Amino acid sequence: MLEFKLDEDFEGFLEDFGMPEQQESCSSITLEKFKNKLPERLLEYWQEYGFCSFKQGLFRIVNPSDYEDLLGEWLEPTDIPDNDVYHVFARNAFGDLFLWGEETGYKYKVMVARGWVIEKKGKVKKDHNTAIEYFFGFLDTASHDFKDEAGNVLFESCIKKFGALAPNEMFGFEPSLIVGGEANFDNINKVNIFVHLSILAQFGQIEVLDHDALIRKAFS
């Protein structure tokens, strides 16, 4: 293993998000499983930092193996699996999943609270190492918070009420926004991410949105 060299994009990410928490080392078996499927640079992050959270669970780098079944449930109603093989490589406190395609790179983000699968531009495979560096370099903490109906961010209030998130936990709305629940603090609970997202997938209201469709949703 070569000595790890921190790139400026991930360095900027660490400046914004702080040092890793709840670190779990990445095994050689996992590295071998995802070799040539995910960017080599991402695997180097795994070797250096492991699977870990940032800012009490606001953002988390995850083991894709843990999310394979769940991702299958979310993508099964769509034609997305026909185009590439996708893996969850990161997620946030409100359950949003970030997907990397073996050929297409960062192609989709799943906004689970809304039941939306949002299409991104993606990248050809020869650019994947640069693309994963850019992904982390352009992240900001505010984009991973969630706003209530009045536009107030919720994460800090959730942490004060429920405490930091464990690796298998997220903040979810009960009742779900997908079935008409309201986005307010009183409806948030700390839940098991695998159970909660599996239930949401079973509602059968998953929508795939490109950029234009997302804009229309935002202003509808």
Side-chain angles (χ1 to χ4, degrees):
M1 177 180 169
L2 297 175
E3 180 182 356
F4 176 79
K5 292 185 178 180
L6 183 62
D7 57 86
E8 63 180 18
D9 289 296
F10 205 86
E11 183 177 20
F13 167 76
L14 293 176
E15 288 175 358
D16 291 339
F17 284 79
M19 294 306 294
E21 304 160 349
Q22 300 177 338
Q23 291 173 277
E24 174 192 344
S25 61
C26 177
S27 69
S28 57
I29 295 173
T30 298
L31 290 171
E32 187 62 30
K33 177 180 178 178
F34 291 102
K35 184 178 181 181
N36 300 321
K37 296 179 180 179
L38 293 175
E40 181 180 353
R41 190 58 176 157
L42 179 60
L43 271 58
E44 291 172 357
Y45 295 153
W46 291 358
Q47 288 179 293
E48 182 69 14
Y49 302 105
F51 303 113
C52 53
S53 71
F54 300 87
K55 287 196 174 296
Q56 299 181 287
L58 177 65
F59 184 82
R60 188 177 297 272
I61 297 173
V62 303
N63 184 341
S65 296
D66 295 339
Y67 290 79
E68 286 175 355
D69 292 343
L70 191 64
L71 182 60
E73 292 183 59
W74 273 81
L75 298 187
E76 192 274 333
T78 76
D79 63 359
I80 291 173
D82 298 338
N83 305 318
D84 199 353
V85 179
Y86 297 94
H87 306 278
V88 179
F89 69 98
R91 60 98 161 178
N92 68 22
F94 297 93
D96 291 352
L97 308 178
F98 299 85
L99 312 187
W100 196 273
E102 293 182 9
E103 300 297 329
T104 52
Y106 177 40
K107 186 66 174 175
Y108 294 98
K109 172 186 175 181
V110 183
M111 292 185 66
V112 296
R114 306 285 186 187
W116 298 344
V117 181
I118 300 170
E119 185 175 354
K120 303 288 185 176
K121 291 183 178 180
K123 287 287 184 181
V124 295
K125 194 159 188 175
K126 67 181 180 66
D127 296 328
H128 281 193
N129 284 324
T130 301
I132 196 69
E133 291 180 359
Y134 284 174
F135 171 84
F136 284 100
F138 282 98
L139 289 180
D140 63 89
T141 56
S143 66
H144 293 287
D145 213 322
F146 201 102
K147 292 183 178 180
D148 65 12
E149 303 288 354
N152 303 307
V153 292
L154 297 173
F155 181 72
E156 286 301 326
S157 296
C158 290
I159 290 295
K160 289 178 181 178
K161 181 176 181 179
F162 298 107
L165 292 166
N168 66 338
E169 293 176 333
M170 62 169 278
F171 296 128
F173 291 96
E174 297 178 329
S176 165
L177 308 185
I178 297 175
V179 294
E182 294 185 358
N184 62 56
F185 180 68
D186 291 337
N187 289 346
I188 288 183
N189 201 359
K190 181 191 277 189
V191 296
N192 181 293
I193 186 171
F194 300 103
V195 174
H196 188 73
L197 266 60
S198 182
I199 292 171
L200 295 186
Q202 292 170 31
F203 289 147
Q205 299 188 34
I206 297 169
E207 298 180 82
V208 180
L209 306 173
D210 61 16
H211 180 267
D212 291 340
L214 182 62
I215 295 297
R216 289 195 296 271
K217 282 279 187 183
F219 288 97
S220 64

